[in-house]
Amino acid sequence: MTREELKATAVAMLDKAYCPYSHFPVGAALECADGTVFTGCNIENAGYSATICAERTAVVKAVSEGHRDFVRIVVAGRSDDYCVPCGECRQVLNEFAPNIEVICLNKAGEEMALPLKALLPYGFDHTYL
Protein backbone atom coordinates (compact mmCIF):
# COMPACT_ATOMS: atom_id res chain seq x y z
CA MET A 1 0.00 0.00 0.00
CA THR A 2 1.35 3.43 -0.83
CA ARG A 3 1.82 6.11 1.78
CA GLU A 4 -1.10 8.11 0.31
CA GLU A 5 -3.38 5.04 0.35
CA LEU A 6 -2.46 4.37 3.97
CA LYS A 7 -3.24 7.98 4.87
CA ALA A 8 -6.60 7.79 3.07
CA THR A 9 -7.42 4.57 4.93
CA ALA A 10 -6.79 6.26 8.30
CA VAL A 11 -8.89 9.28 7.32
CA ALA A 12 -11.75 6.99 6.24
CA MET A 13 -11.83 5.54 9.76
CA LEU A 14 -12.75 8.95 11.22
CA ASP A 15 -16.36 8.36 10.23
CA LYS A 16 -16.45 5.09 12.17
CA ALA A 17 -15.26 6.59 15.45
CA TYR A 18 -17.62 6.45 18.42
CA CYS A 19 -16.89 9.66 20.32
CA PRO A 20 -20.09 11.09 21.82
CA TYR A 21 -18.22 12.57 24.80
CA SER A 22 -15.09 14.20 23.39
CA HIS A 23 -16.42 14.74 19.87
CA PHE A 24 -12.82 14.13 18.77
CA PRO A 25 -12.77 11.32 16.17
CA VAL A 26 -9.48 9.57 15.48
CA GLY A 27 -8.71 7.05 12.76
CA ALA A 28 -5.65 4.85 12.38
CA ALA A 29 -4.17 2.58 9.73
CA LEU A 30 -1.38 0.24 10.84
CA GLU A 31 0.84 -1.36 8.21
CA CYS A 32 2.56 -4.66 8.94
CA ALA A 33 5.87 -5.70 7.42
CA ASP A 34 4.08 -8.15 5.12
CA GLY A 35 1.85 -5.36 3.76
CA THR A 36 -1.26 -6.29 5.74
CA VAL A 37 -3.11 -3.23 7.04
CA PHE A 38 -5.23 -3.06 10.17
CA THR A 39 -7.51 -0.13 10.87
CA GLY A 40 -8.83 1.38 14.05
CA CYS A 41 -10.92 4.19 15.42
CA ASN A 42 -11.42 5.52 18.90
CA ILE A 43 -14.30 3.99 20.81
CA GLU A 44 -15.36 5.97 23.86
CA ASN A 45 -17.24 4.82 26.91
CA ALA A 46 -19.08 6.71 29.64
CA GLY A 47 -16.65 5.01 32.03
CA TYR A 48 -13.65 6.84 30.56
CA SER A 49 -11.10 4.22 31.53
CA ALA A 50 -12.88 1.76 29.22
CA THR A 51 -12.26 4.00 26.20
CA ILE A 52 -9.78 2.71 23.60
CA CYS A 53 -7.85 4.83 21.13
CA ALA A 54 -7.70 4.22 17.39
CA GLU A 55 -4.04 3.23 17.48
CA ARG A 56 -4.54 0.60 20.16
CA THR A 57 -7.63 -0.70 18.36
CA ALA A 58 -5.51 -1.30 15.25
CA VAL A 59 -2.68 -2.91 17.24
CA VAL A 60 -5.04 -5.21 19.16
CA LYS A 61 -6.73 -6.29 15.92
CA ALA A 62 -3.34 -7.00 14.31
CA VAL A 63 -1.92 -8.94 17.26
CA SER A 64 -5.13 -10.96 17.63
CA GLU A 65 -4.70 -12.02 13.99
CA GLY A 66 -1.08 -13.08 14.53
CA HIS A 67 0.70 -9.95 13.24
CA ARG A 68 3.42 -8.33 15.34
CA ASP A 69 5.86 -6.81 12.88
CA PHE A 70 4.71 -3.23 12.24
CA VAL A 71 6.47 -0.71 10.00
CA ARG A 72 4.28 2.43 10.05
CA ILE A 73 1.05 3.82 11.39
CA VAL A 74 -1.02 6.80 10.29
CA VAL A 75 -3.02 8.65 12.93
CA ALA A 76 -5.68 11.00 11.55
CA GLY A 77 -7.82 13.58 13.26
CA ARG A 78 -10.02 16.53 12.42
CA SER A 79 -8.11 19.10 14.44
CA ASP A 80 -6.03 22.03 13.22
CA ASP A 81 -2.93 20.53 14.80
CA TYR A 82 -1.44 17.11 14.08
CA CYS A 83 -3.15 14.16 15.75
CA VAL A 84 -0.43 12.44 17.78
CA PRO A 85 -0.71 9.21 19.77
CA CYS A 86 -1.36 9.56 23.50
CA GLY A 87 1.18 8.23 25.98
CA GLU A 88 -0.59 4.91 26.42
CA CYS A 89 -0.66 4.34 22.66
CA ARG A 90 3.02 5.24 22.40
CA GLN A 91 3.83 2.62 25.01
CA VAL A 92 1.72 -0.05 23.26
CA LEU A 93 3.40 0.71 19.92
CA ASN A 94 6.78 0.51 21.67
CA GLU A 95 5.97 -3.00 22.89
CA PHE A 96 5.74 -4.32 19.34
CA ALA A 97 7.53 -1.82 17.10
CA PRO A 98 9.99 0.53 18.79
CA ASN A 99 11.26 1.62 15.38
CA ILE A 100 7.85 2.22 13.76
CA GLU A 101 7.27 5.32 11.65
CA VAL A 102 4.40 7.41 13.03
CA ILE A 103 2.60 9.62 10.50
CA CYS A 104 0.36 12.21 12.16
CA LEU A 105 -2.25 14.05 10.09
CA ASN A 106 -4.27 17.19 10.71
CA LYS A 107 -7.67 18.02 9.25
CA ALA A 108 -6.04 19.52 6.14
CA GLY A 109 -4.31 16.21 5.44
CA GLU A 110 -0.89 17.67 6.17
CA GLU A 111 1.50 15.24 7.77
CA MET A 112 4.20 15.16 10.38
CA ALA A 113 6.19 11.93 10.20
CA LEU A 114 8.67 10.83 12.83
CA PRO A 115 10.03 7.69 14.44
CA LEU A 116 8.32 6.48 17.60
CA LYS A 117 11.60 7.07 19.48
CA ALA A 118 11.08 10.82 18.94
CA LEU A 119 7.66 10.58 20.61
CA LEU A 120 8.75 8.16 23.35
CA PRO A 121 12.51 8.50 23.84
CA TYR A 122 12.64 6.40 27.02
CA GLY A 123 9.94 3.82 26.47
CA PHE A 124 9.59 1.03 29.00
CA ASP A 125 10.40 -2.38 27.53
CA HIS A 126 11.39 -5.94 28.46
CA THR A 127 14.96 -4.89 29.31
CA TYR A 128 13.66 -3.27 32.51
CA LEU A 129 12.12 -6.52 33.74
Side-chain angles (χ1 to χ4, degrees), residues 6-45:
L6 194 66
K7 288 165 55 175
T9 301
V11 170
M13 291 304 296
L14 290 168
D15 291 332
K16 295 185 179 184
Y18 176 74
C19 51
Y21 308 109
S22 72
H23 306 288
F24 190 88
V26 179
L30 175 67
E31 184 178 13
C32 301
D34 68 359
T36 305
V37 173
F38 290 90
T39 58
C41 62
N42 55 320
I43 304 166
E44 295 181 350
N45 189 287

Side-chain angles (χ1 to χ4, degrees), residues 48-104:
Y48 291 129
S49 65
T51 294
I52 186 166
C53 298
E55 303 92 306
R56 285 183 286 133
T57 299
V59 169
V60 168
K61 287 170 63 176
V63 171
S64 71
E65 296 296 325
H67 294 266
R68 295 186 182 158
D69 191 10
F70 311 135
V71 294
R72 62 184 170 172
I73 188 168
V74 175
V75 184
R78 290 191 175 131
S79 56
D80 292 330
D81 205 353
Y82 299 104
C83 191
V84 298
C86 73
E88 193 169 346
C89 287
R90 293 174 194 197
Q91 181 59 45
V92 169
L93 288 168
N94 189 66
E95 178 71 20
F96 297 100
N99 297 309
I100 194 170
E101 177 185 22
V102 181
I103 303 166
C104 306

